[in-house]
Amino acid sequence: MHHYWLKVIATSNIRNKILFYKQKILLSNEVDFMAIQLFVPTFDVDGCLAEIKECLEKGWTGLGFKTLQFEEEWKRYTGLPNAHFLNSATSGLNIAFDILKERYGWNDDTEVITTPLTFVSSNHAILLAGLKAVFADVDNTLCLDPNDVEKRITPNTKAILYVGLGGNTGHYDEIVSLCEKYDLKLILDAAHMAGTRLNGEIPGKEAEVVIYSFQAVKNLPTADSGMICFKSRELDDIVRKKTWLGINKDTFARINTKGNYKWKYDVEYVGQKYHGNSIMAAIGLVQLKHLDKENSYRRQIAEWYTKGFASYNDKIKLIEIPQNCESSRHLFQIIVDDRDGLIEALNQEEIFPGVHYTDNTEYRMYGYANGTCPNASYISDHVISLPMHMRLSFDDVQTIINTILKFISK
Ligand SMILES: *Cc1c(COP(=O)(O)O)cnc(C)c1O
Protein backbone atom coordinates (compact mmCIF):
# COMPACT_ATOMS: atom_id res chain seq x y z
CA MET A 1 0.00 0.00 0.00
CA HIS A 2 2.64 2.40 1.24
CA HIS A 3 5.10 1.57 -1.48
CA TYR A 4 2.42 1.42 -4.12
CA TRP A 5 1.34 5.00 -3.53
CA LEU A 6 4.87 6.28 -3.42
CA LYS A 7 5.38 4.76 -6.84
CA VAL A 8 2.21 6.40 -8.10
CA ILE A 9 3.48 9.72 -6.81
CA ALA A 10 6.86 9.24 -8.37
CA THR A 11 5.54 8.30 -11.78
CA SER A 12 2.59 10.60 -12.27
CA ASN A 13 2.00 14.28 -12.48
CA ILE A 14 1.70 15.01 -8.81
CA ARG A 15 -0.20 18.27 -9.19
CA ASN A 16 -2.96 16.82 -11.33
CA LYS A 17 -3.24 13.90 -9.01
CA ILE A 18 -3.66 16.15 -6.00
CA LEU A 19 -6.12 18.47 -7.73
CA PHE A 20 -8.16 15.44 -8.71
CA TYR A 21 -8.10 14.21 -5.13
CA LYS A 22 -9.19 17.60 -3.85
CA GLN A 23 -12.01 17.89 -6.40
CA LYS A 24 -13.28 14.48 -5.44
CA ILE A 25 -13.44 15.51 -1.81
CA LEU A 26 -15.19 18.78 -2.59
CA LEU A 27 -17.74 17.02 -4.79
CA SER A 28 -18.41 14.29 -2.30
CA ASN A 29 -18.91 16.70 0.57
CA GLU A 30 -20.48 19.56 -1.36
CA VAL A 31 -18.58 22.00 0.78
CA ASP A 32 -16.20 24.61 -0.47
CA PHE A 33 -13.78 26.11 1.98
CA MET A 34 -12.93 29.73 1.53
CA ALA A 35 -10.84 29.84 4.65
CA ILE A 36 -7.74 27.70 5.00
CA GLN A 37 -7.83 25.87 8.32
CA LEU A 38 -4.94 24.32 10.25
CA PHE A 39 -6.43 20.84 10.37
CA VAL A 40 -9.40 19.37 8.52
CA PRO A 41 -9.82 15.60 8.81
CA THR A 42 -10.84 13.76 5.67
CA PHE A 43 -12.86 10.60 6.07
CA ASP A 44 -13.54 7.78 3.66
CA VAL A 45 -17.23 8.40 4.27
CA ASP A 46 -18.67 5.41 2.39
CA GLY A 47 -16.07 3.05 3.81
CA CYS A 48 -16.69 4.25 7.37
CA LEU A 49 -20.47 4.04 6.99
CA ALA A 50 -20.29 0.49 5.69
CA GLU A 51 -18.10 -0.56 8.60
CA ILE A 52 -20.32 1.23 11.15
CA LYS A 53 -23.42 -0.32 9.54
CA GLU A 54 -21.99 -3.74 10.33
CA CYS A 55 -21.82 -2.78 14.01
CA LEU A 56 -25.37 -1.46 14.05
CA GLU A 57 -26.80 -4.47 12.22
CA LYS A 58 -24.99 -6.87 14.47
CA GLY A 59 -26.07 -4.88 17.51
CA TRP A 60 -22.51 -4.56 18.72
CA THR A 61 -21.19 -1.05 19.21
CA GLY A 62 -19.15 -1.50 22.39
CA LEU A 63 -15.99 -3.26 23.51
CA GLY A 64 -15.00 -6.34 21.48
CA PHE A 65 -15.86 -7.09 17.82
CA LYS A 66 -14.34 -4.14 15.86
CA THR A 67 -12.08 -3.10 18.74
CA LEU A 68 -10.39 -6.52 18.56
CA GLN A 69 -10.18 -6.36 14.76
CA PHE A 70 -8.60 -2.92 14.90
CA GLU A 71 -6.08 -4.09 17.50
CA GLU A 72 -5.05 -6.94 15.17
CA GLU A 73 -4.73 -4.58 12.20
CA TRP A 74 -2.73 -2.09 14.25
CA LYS A 75 -0.30 -4.81 15.38
CA ARG A 76 0.10 -5.93 11.79
CA TYR A 77 0.67 -2.35 10.60
CA THR A 78 3.13 -1.33 13.31
CA GLY A 79 4.84 -4.64 13.99
CA LEU A 80 4.37 -3.96 17.71
CA PRO A 81 3.62 -7.12 19.71
CA ASN A 82 0.59 -5.84 21.66
CA ALA A 83 -2.14 -3.27 21.13
CA HIS A 84 -5.14 -2.32 23.19
CA PHE A 85 -7.76 0.08 21.83
CA LEU A 86 -8.76 3.01 24.06
CA ASN A 87 -11.17 5.92 24.21
CA SER A 88 -8.22 8.37 23.92
CA ALA A 89 -4.46 8.71 24.08
CA THR A 90 -4.91 10.71 27.28
CA SER A 91 -6.41 7.60 28.88
CA GLY A 92 -3.46 5.64 27.53
CA LEU A 93 -0.90 7.97 29.07
CA ASN A 94 -2.71 7.94 32.41
CA ILE A 95 -3.01 4.16 32.58
CA ALA A 96 0.57 3.67 31.33
CA PHE A 97 2.07 5.53 34.29
CA ASP A 98 -0.36 3.89 36.70
CA ILE A 99 0.64 0.41 35.52
CA LEU A 100 4.39 1.10 35.34
CA LYS A 101 4.37 2.66 38.82
CA GLU A 102 2.73 -0.45 40.26
CA ARG A 103 4.84 -2.89 38.25
CA TYR A 104 8.21 -1.32 39.12
CA GLY A 105 7.41 -0.15 42.64
CA TRP A 106 7.86 3.54 41.84
CA ASN A 107 6.93 6.00 44.58
CA ASP A 108 6.13 9.68 45.03
CA ASP A 109 9.83 10.62 44.73
CA THR A 110 10.18 8.87 41.38
CA GLU A 111 11.16 11.29 38.60
CA VAL A 112 10.13 11.09 34.97
CA ILE A 113 12.09 13.24 32.52
CA THR A 114 9.80 14.89 30.01
CA THR A 115 9.44 17.72 27.50
CA PRO A 116 7.82 21.10 28.14
CA LEU A 117 6.84 21.25 24.46
CA THR A 118 3.81 18.97 24.30
CA PHE A 119 0.08 18.80 24.76
CA VAL A 120 -0.55 18.96 28.51
CA SER A 121 -2.09 15.51 28.60
CA SER A 122 1.43 14.01 28.32
CA ASN A 123 2.65 15.74 31.48
CA HIS A 124 -0.62 15.61 33.39
CA ALA A 125 -0.34 11.82 33.21
CA ILE A 126 2.90 11.96 35.23
CA LEU A 127 1.33 14.13 37.94
CA LEU A 128 -1.92 12.15 38.02
CA ALA A 129 0.10 8.99 38.74
CA GLY A 130 1.71 10.76 41.70
CA LEU A 131 5.15 10.98 40.07
CA LYS A 132 7.49 13.94 39.57
CA ALA A 133 7.73 15.60 36.15
CA VAL A 134 11.31 16.77 35.55
CA PHE A 135 11.65 18.91 32.44
CA ALA A 136 14.54 18.70 30.00
CA ASP A 137 15.01 21.02 27.03
CA VAL A 138 14.34 20.38 23.36
CA ASP A 139 16.82 20.56 20.47
CA ASN A 140 16.46 21.68 16.83
CA THR A 141 14.05 18.81 16.18
CA LEU A 142 11.72 20.21 18.88
CA CYS A 143 11.96 16.81 20.59
CA LEU A 144 13.89 16.14 23.82
CA ASP A 145 17.60 16.94 23.58
CA PRO A 146 19.48 13.77 24.66
CA ASN A 147 22.39 15.82 26.06
CA ASP A 148 20.12 17.89 28.25
CA VAL A 149 18.15 14.80 29.31
CA GLU A 150 21.35 13.13 30.52
CA LYS A 151 22.16 16.15 32.71
CA ARG A 152 18.80 15.84 34.49
CA ILE A 153 19.17 12.17 35.45
CA THR A 154 19.33 11.59 39.22
CA PRO A 155 19.16 8.42 41.34
CA ASN A 156 15.37 8.98 41.47
CA THR A 157 14.96 9.04 37.67
CA LYS A 158 13.13 5.93 36.51
CA ALA A 159 11.67 6.86 33.14
CA ILE A 160 11.71 9.17 30.13
CA LEU A 161 8.53 10.34 28.42
CA TYR A 162 9.42 11.05 24.79
CA VAL A 163 7.11 12.92 22.42
CA GLY A 164 7.70 12.63 18.67
CA LEU A 165 6.62 16.19 18.02
CA GLY A 166 4.77 16.66 14.75
CA GLY A 167 5.69 13.10 13.74
CA ASN A 168 9.43 13.76 13.98
CA THR A 169 11.50 11.04 15.64
CA GLY A 170 14.10 13.63 16.65
CA HIS A 171 17.03 11.95 18.34
CA TYR A 172 14.96 9.00 19.53
CA ASP A 173 17.85 6.53 19.01
CA GLU A 174 20.01 8.43 21.48
CA ILE A 175 17.18 8.52 24.01
CA VAL A 176 16.86 4.74 23.65
CA SER A 177 20.61 4.44 24.34
CA LEU A 178 20.30 6.63 27.45
CA CYS A 179 17.50 4.42 28.72
CA GLU A 180 19.72 1.37 28.28
CA LYS A 181 22.72 3.05 29.90
CA TYR A 182 20.83 4.26 33.00
CA ASP A 183 18.22 1.48 33.15
CA LEU A 184 15.27 3.82 32.54
CA LYS A 185 11.84 2.89 31.16
CA LEU A 186 10.88 4.61 27.93
CA ILE A 187 7.31 5.80 27.38
CA LEU A 188 6.67 7.00 23.83
CA ASP A 189 3.87 9.51 23.31
CA ALA A 190 3.28 8.77 19.64
CA ALA A 191 0.12 10.89 19.36
CA HIS A 192 1.59 12.60 16.29
CA MET A 193 3.47 9.58 14.98
CA ALA A 194 0.89 7.35 13.29
CA GLY A 195 2.78 6.19 10.21
CA THR A 196 6.16 7.69 11.12
CA ARG A 197 9.08 5.47 10.17
CA LEU A 198 12.64 5.43 11.43
CA ASN A 199 15.20 3.58 9.31
CA GLY A 200 12.21 2.28 7.32
CA GLU A 201 10.41 0.81 10.32
CA ILE A 202 7.71 1.94 12.70
CA PRO A 203 9.62 2.98 15.84
CA GLY A 204 8.58 1.98 19.35
CA LYS A 205 9.68 -1.64 19.75
CA GLU A 206 12.38 -0.39 22.14
CA ALA A 207 9.91 1.43 24.39
CA GLU A 208 8.16 -0.06 27.40
CA VAL A 209 4.95 1.35 26.05
CA VAL A 210 3.81 3.38 23.02
CA ILE A 211 0.63 5.45 23.01
CA TYR A 212 -1.13 6.63 19.84
CA SER A 213 -3.95 9.13 19.43
CA PHE A 214 -6.77 8.77 16.89
CA GLN A 215 -8.44 11.99 18.03
CA ALA A 216 -10.48 13.97 15.48
CA VAL A 217 -7.58 15.91 13.92
CA LYS A 218 -4.69 13.47 14.24
CA ASN A 219 -3.24 11.71 11.19
CA LEU A 220 -5.52 8.71 11.68
CA PRO A 221 -8.74 10.46 12.70
CA THR A 222 -11.72 8.75 14.31
CA ALA A 223 -13.60 11.10 16.64
CA ASP A 224 -11.84 10.23 19.85
CA SER A 225 -9.79 7.13 20.48
CA GLY A 226 -6.28 5.86 20.98
CA MET A 227 -4.10 2.76 21.23
CA ILE A 228 -1.73 1.59 23.93
CA CYS A 229 1.01 -0.84 22.95
CA PHE A 230 2.95 -2.43 25.80
CA LYS A 231 6.13 -4.32 25.00
CA SER A 232 5.30 -6.93 27.61
CA ARG A 233 2.42 -9.37 27.18
CA GLU A 234 1.94 -9.38 30.92
CA LEU A 235 1.35 -5.61 31.03
CA ASP A 236 -0.95 -5.87 28.01
CA ASP A 237 -3.07 -8.36 30.00
CA ILE A 238 -3.19 -5.93 32.91
CA VAL A 239 -4.12 -2.91 30.77
CA ARG A 240 -7.07 -4.82 29.27
CA LYS A 241 -8.47 -5.27 32.76
CA LYS A 242 -7.57 -1.84 34.12
CA THR A 243 -9.26 -0.03 31.22
CA TRP A 244 -12.52 -1.82 32.02
CA LEU A 245 -12.81 -1.15 35.73
CA GLY A 246 -10.55 -4.07 36.61
CA ILE A 247 -12.90 -6.66 35.14
CA ASN A 248 -10.95 -9.64 33.88
CA LYS A 249 -12.62 -10.58 30.57
CA ASP A 250 -14.17 -8.68 27.70
CA THR A 251 -17.83 -9.18 26.82
CA PHE A 252 -17.04 -10.68 23.43
CA ALA A 253 -15.00 -13.47 25.01
CA ARG A 254 -17.65 -14.10 27.67
CA ILE A 255 -20.47 -14.51 25.15
CA ASN A 256 -18.37 -16.76 22.98
CA THR A 257 -17.66 -19.23 25.75
CA LYS A 258 -20.05 -22.00 24.64
CA GLY A 259 -22.89 -19.46 24.52
CA ASN A 260 -22.81 -19.54 28.27
CA TYR A 261 -22.97 -15.99 29.62
CA LYS A 262 -20.42 -15.79 32.37
CA TRP A 263 -21.92 -13.00 34.41
CA LYS A 264 -19.91 -13.96 37.43
CA TYR A 265 -16.71 -12.24 36.41
CA ASP A 266 -13.94 -11.35 38.80
CA VAL A 267 -12.77 -7.77 39.47
CA GLU A 268 -9.04 -7.68 39.98
CA TYR A 269 -8.28 -3.93 40.14
CA VAL A 270 -9.85 -0.58 40.95
CA GLY A 271 -9.76 0.29 37.27
CA GLN A 272 -10.93 3.03 34.93
CA LYS A 273 -13.37 3.03 32.03
CA TYR A 274 -10.82 3.81 29.35
CA HIS A 275 -11.46 1.17 26.68
CA GLY A 276 -12.54 2.06 23.14
CA ASN A 277 -15.76 1.09 21.34
CA SER A 278 -16.63 -0.60 18.04
CA ILE A 279 -17.91 2.54 16.30
CA MET A 280 -14.59 4.32 16.77
CA ALA A 281 -12.71 1.16 15.84
CA ALA A 282 -14.82 0.83 12.67
CA ILE A 283 -13.70 4.30 11.57
CA GLY A 284 -10.13 3.50 12.57
CA LEU A 285 -10.08 0.29 10.51
CA VAL A 286 -11.11 2.20 7.40
CA GLN A 287 -8.88 5.23 7.95
CA LEU A 288 -5.85 3.01 8.58
CA LYS A 289 -6.06 1.88 4.95
CA HIS A 290 -5.48 5.51 3.90
CA LEU A 291 -2.82 6.43 6.43
CA ASP A 292 0.32 5.85 4.37
CA LYS A 293 -0.90 7.55 1.23
CA GLU A 294 -2.23 10.47 3.25
CA ASN A 295 1.07 10.81 5.07
CA SER A 296 2.91 10.85 1.76
CA TYR A 297 0.71 13.74 0.64
CA ARG A 298 1.50 15.47 3.94
CA ARG A 299 5.19 15.07 3.10
CA GLN A 300 4.49 16.53 -0.34
CA ILE A 301 2.88 19.59 1.28
CA ALA A 302 5.88 19.88 3.59
CA GLU A 303 8.16 19.84 0.54
CA TRP A 304 6.19 22.64 -1.09
CA TYR A 305 6.50 24.74 2.07
CA THR A 306 10.20 23.93 2.35
CA LYS A 307 10.86 24.97 -1.24
CA GLY A 308 8.82 28.14 -0.80
CA PHE A 309 10.88 29.25 2.18
CA ALA A 310 14.25 28.02 0.87
CA SER A 311 15.76 31.46 0.14
CA TYR A 312 14.52 33.00 3.38
CA ASN A 313 16.36 30.89 5.95
CA ASP A 314 17.60 34.01 7.75
CA LYS A 315 14.02 34.93 8.64
CA ILE A 316 12.17 31.61 8.55
CA LYS A 317 13.73 28.72 10.43
CA LEU A 318 12.59 25.20 9.67
CA ILE A 319 12.55 22.24 12.02
CA GLU A 320 15.34 19.70 11.61
CA ILE A 321 14.21 16.20 10.70
CA PRO A 322 16.98 13.56 10.78
CA GLN A 323 17.76 11.83 7.46
CA ASN A 324 16.62 8.42 8.71
CA CYS A 325 13.18 9.70 9.78
CA GLU A 326 10.19 9.50 7.45
CA SER A 327 7.89 11.80 9.42
CA SER A 328 4.12 11.38 9.47
CA ARG A 329 4.15 15.17 9.09
CA HIS A 330 1.35 15.74 11.52
CA LEU A 331 2.73 19.28 11.70
CA PHE A 332 4.69 21.65 9.52
CA GLN A 333 6.22 24.22 11.86
CA ILE A 334 8.34 27.30 11.23
CA ILE A 335 10.11 29.66 13.64
CA VAL A 336 9.89 33.41 13.04
CA ASP A 337 10.70 36.60 14.99
CA ASP A 338 7.24 38.12 15.14
CA ARG A 339 5.08 35.03 15.51
CA ASP A 340 1.98 36.75 16.84
CA GLY A 341 2.19 39.41 14.09
CA LEU A 342 2.42 36.69 11.46
CA ILE A 343 -0.61 34.89 12.87
CA GLU A 344 -2.59 38.13 12.61
CA ALA A 345 -1.45 38.70 9.03
CA LEU A 346 -2.45 35.14 8.09
CA ASN A 347 -5.82 35.46 9.84
CA GLN A 348 -6.53 38.57 7.77
CA GLU A 349 -6.18 36.39 4.67
CA GLU A 350 -8.54 33.78 6.18
CA ILE A 351 -5.64 31.45 6.93
CA PHE A 352 -5.75 29.95 10.40
CA PRO A 353 -2.50 28.43 11.66
CA GLY A 354 -1.85 27.01 15.13
CA VAL A 355 0.81 26.87 17.84
CA HIS A 356 2.29 23.60 19.15
CA TYR A 357 2.87 24.22 21.99
CA THR A 358 3.06 26.72 24.80
CA ASP A 359 5.97 25.77 27.06
CA ASN A 360 4.17 23.70 29.71
CA THR A 361 6.27 25.28 32.49
CA GLU A 362 4.22 28.45 31.93
CA TYR A 363 1.22 26.64 33.42
CA ARG A 364 0.79 26.85 37.20
CA MET A 365 1.19 23.14 37.99
CA TYR A 366 4.56 23.03 36.17
CA GLY A 367 5.65 26.54 37.16
CA TYR A 368 8.33 25.08 39.47
CA ALA A 369 10.37 24.34 36.33
CA ASN A 370 9.86 27.67 34.58
CA GLY A 371 13.14 29.02 33.23
CA THR A 372 14.89 25.63 33.16
CA CYS A 373 14.36 25.00 29.43
CA PRO A 374 15.40 28.10 27.45
CA ASN A 375 15.08 26.52 23.98
CA ALA A 376 11.54 25.33 24.64
CA SER A 377 10.69 28.73 26.04
CA TYR A 378 12.00 30.46 22.90
CA ILE A 379 10.17 28.03 20.61
CA SER A 380 6.99 28.53 22.58
CA ASP A 381 7.05 32.25 21.67
CA HIS A 382 8.20 31.91 18.06
CA VAL A 383 6.82 28.71 16.57
CA ILE A 384 3.83 28.47 14.30
CA SER A 385 2.15 25.43 12.74
CA LEU A 386 1.02 25.95 9.15
CA PRO A 387 -2.09 24.34 7.67
CA MET A 388 -1.52 20.63 7.02
CA HIS A 389 -4.28 18.37 5.78
CA MET A 390 -5.59 16.41 2.80
CA ARG A 391 -7.78 19.17 1.39
CA LEU A 392 -4.92 21.61 0.78
CA SER A 393 -4.00 22.05 -2.87
CA PHE A 394 -0.69 23.19 -4.32
CA ASP A 395 -2.31 26.61 -4.86
CA ASP A 396 -3.49 26.83 -1.24
CA VAL A 397 0.06 26.15 -0.11
CA GLN A 398 1.40 28.85 -2.46
CA THR A 399 -1.17 31.32 -1.07
CA ILE A 400 0.03 30.56 2.46
CA ILE A 401 3.70 30.86 1.44
CA ASN A 402 3.12 34.17 -0.35
CA THR A 403 1.24 35.65 2.59
CA ILE A 404 4.10 34.70 4.89
CA LEU A 405 6.81 36.02 2.54
CA LYS A 406 4.93 39.30 2.16
CA PHE A 407 4.75 39.67 5.93
CA ILE A 408 8.38 38.89 6.66
CA SER A 409 9.63 41.14 3.83
CA LYS A 410 7.85 44.16 5.30
C1 LIG B 1 -3.48 14.83 21.02
C2 LIG B 1 -2.34 14.54 21.91
C3 LIG B 1 -2.49 13.75 23.06
C4 LIG B 1 -3.83 13.32 23.56
O1 LIG B 1 -4.54 12.58 22.65
P1 LIG B 1 -6.11 12.35 22.87
O2 LIG B 1 -6.41 11.16 22.01
O3 LIG B 1 -6.80 13.59 22.41
O4 LIG B 1 -6.35 12.10 24.30
C5 LIG B 1 -1.37 13.43 23.79
N1 LIG B 1 -0.15 13.88 23.43
C6 LIG B 1 0.03 14.66 22.35
C7 LIG B 1 1.42 15.09 21.98
C8 LIG B 1 -1.07 15.03 21.57
O5 LIG B 1 -0.89 15.83 20.52
Side-chain angles (χ1 to χ4, degrees):
M1 183 78 177
H2 181 57
H3 300 287
Y4 167 75
W5 220 78
L6 288 180
K7 250 182 246 155
V8 170
I9 284 203
T11 56
S12 68
N13 180 330
I14 182 85
R15 243 181 99 178
N16 286 343
K17 194 100 203 154
I18 298 325
L19 286 175
F20 171 74
Y21 191 41
K22 194 195 177 198
Q23 262 166 18
K24 223 172 77 173
I25 290 159
L26 289 178
L27 284 177
S28 66
N29 292 4
E30 295 182 11
V31 189
D32 205 344
F33 291 95
M34 296 300 292
I36 302 180
Q37 303 291 344
L38 173 65
F39 296 138
V40 184
T42 292
F43 292 98
D44 173 347
V45 175
D46 292 339
C48 289
L49 288 179
E51 200 80 12
I52 291 170
K53 189 159 183 260
E54 248 188 79
C55 299
L56 301 179
E57 283 174 353
K58 190 183 175 76
W60 201 301
T61 54
L63 173 65
F65 188 37
K66 294 290 176 192
T67 68
L68 296 173
Q69 280 182 32
F70 190 30
E71 287 168 359
E72 287 311 306
E73 288 303 316
W74 191 251
K75 283 192 280 182
R76 195 181 350 247
Y77 177 78
T78 58
L80 297 173
N82 300 295
H84 179 48
F85 187 58
L86 302 171
N87 59 11
S88 74
T90 300
S91 301
L93 288 157
N94 291 347
I95 206 74
F97 283 105
D98 171 84
I99 289 174
L100 293 175
K101 186 181 186 186
E102 196 167 275
R103 171 71 176 77
Y104 294 109
W106 295 347
N107 59 42
D108 297 354
D109 294 326
T110 296
E111 296 169 7
V112 179
I113 298 179
T114 182
T115 172
L117 215 61
T118 185
F119 186 52
V120 284
S121 88
S122 322
N123 290 322
H124 281 7
I126 300 172
L127 298 195
L128 286 169
L131 303 166
K132 290 201 163 122
V134 172
F135 291 91
D137 214 344
V138 299
D139 58 27
N140 291 341
T141 67
L142 305 196
C143 298
L144 276 176
D145 174 356
N147 295 318
D148 199 56
V149 167
E150 189 163 19
K151 288 183 200 147
R152 318 259 176 166
I153 295 172
T154 75
N156 284 331
T157 308
K158 300 293 181 221
I160 298 175
L161 174 59
Y162 192 80
V163 179
L165 200 81
N168 196 351
T169 55
H171 299 111
Y172 176 77
D173 283 342
E174 290 172 54
I175 296 289
V176 170
S177 303
L178 279 181
C179 287
E180 282 162 6
K181 182 171 166 192
Y182 293 94
D183 191 23
L184 307 176
K185 304 299 171 197
L186 180 56
I187 297 105
L188 180 59
D189 179 343
H192 298 179
M193 296 177 91
T196 286
R197 285 171 174 80
L198 178 61
N199 299 317
E201 265 189 65
I202 303 281
K205 293 160 193 85
E206 316 74 9
E208 197 75 4
V209 59
V210 187
I211 299 111
Y212 294 93
S213 173
F214 309 131
Q215 186 265 345
V217 299
K218 299 287 159 74
N219 285 36
L220 195 165
T222 59
D224 252 326
S225 63
M227 195 76 85
I228 187 163
C229 304
F230 274 103
K231 179 158 64 178
S232 126
R233 177 63 203 270
E234 184 200 338
L235 298 187
D236 180 70
D237 280 345
I238 293 173
V239 81
R240 285 170 190 282
K241 296 169 197 162
K242 282 208 163 194
T243 53
W244 192 36
L245 301 148
I247 294 170
N248 75 358
K249 267 185 157 183
D250 77 51
T251 317
F252 200 60
R254 275 191 287 133
I255 279 189
N256 277 330
T257 314
K258 293 189 222 145
N260 160 16
Y261 195 87
K262 286 196 181 155
W263 52 271
K264 236 185 151 179
Y265 51 75
D266 192 15
V267 182
E268 293 181 34
Y269 302 94
V270 183
Q272 305 276 2
K273 191 155 188 288
Y274 278 170
H275 67 77
N277 67 62
S278 285
I279 302 293
M280 289 303 114
I283 299 174
L285 277 164
V286 175
Q287 292 300 120
L288 175 55
K289 295 181 198 155
H290 301 279
L291 181 61
D292 282 336
K293 74 168 185 286
E294 294 199 346
N295 283 352
S296 59
Y297 185 49
R298 287 168 177 275
R299 286 189 289 276
Q300 175 63 76
I301 292 170
E303 239 176 83
W304 288 332
Y305 279 132
T306 304
K307 242 185 220 150
F309 300 136
S311 345
Y312 301 86
N313 54 16
D314 52 330
K315 287 190 171 156
I316 301 172
K317 300 262 181 298
L318 304 185
I319 312 306
E320 179 194 319
I321 297 185
Q323 280 294 322
N324 56 356
C325 169
E326 184 183 65
S327 171
S328 66
R329 277 297 185 180
H330 177 59
L331 301 176
F332 186 89
Q333 296 168 289
I334 58 172
I335 298 161
V336 293
D337 275 343
D338 181 8
R339 190 268 311 276
D340 296 346
L342 177 56
I343 290 181
E344 258 174 55
L346 286 164
N347 287 353
Q348 259 160 35
E349 299 298 319
E350 301 266 286
I351 299 165
F352 300 102
V355 171
H356 300 89
Y357 290 93
T358 295
D359 172 358
N360 285 191
T361 69
E362 288 182 24
Y363 301 126
R364 68 198 70 187
M365 67 292 292
Y366 305 110
Y368 59 85
N370 195 238
T372 61
C373 301
N375 292 342
S377 171
Y378 179 85
I379 297 297
S380 172
D381 291 336
H382 297 271
V383 80
I384 171 169
S385 301
L386 301 182
M388 176 54 85
H389 56 80
M390 290 304 108
R391 305 186 194 198
L392 288 177
S393 67
F394 176 81
D395 291 339
D396 293 334
V397 175
Q398 300 314 310
T399 303
I400 299 164
I401 292 169
N402 292 335
T403 308
I404 293 171
L405 294 185
K406 201 171 115 196
F407 177 80
I408 61 150
S409 311
K410 263 200 315 212

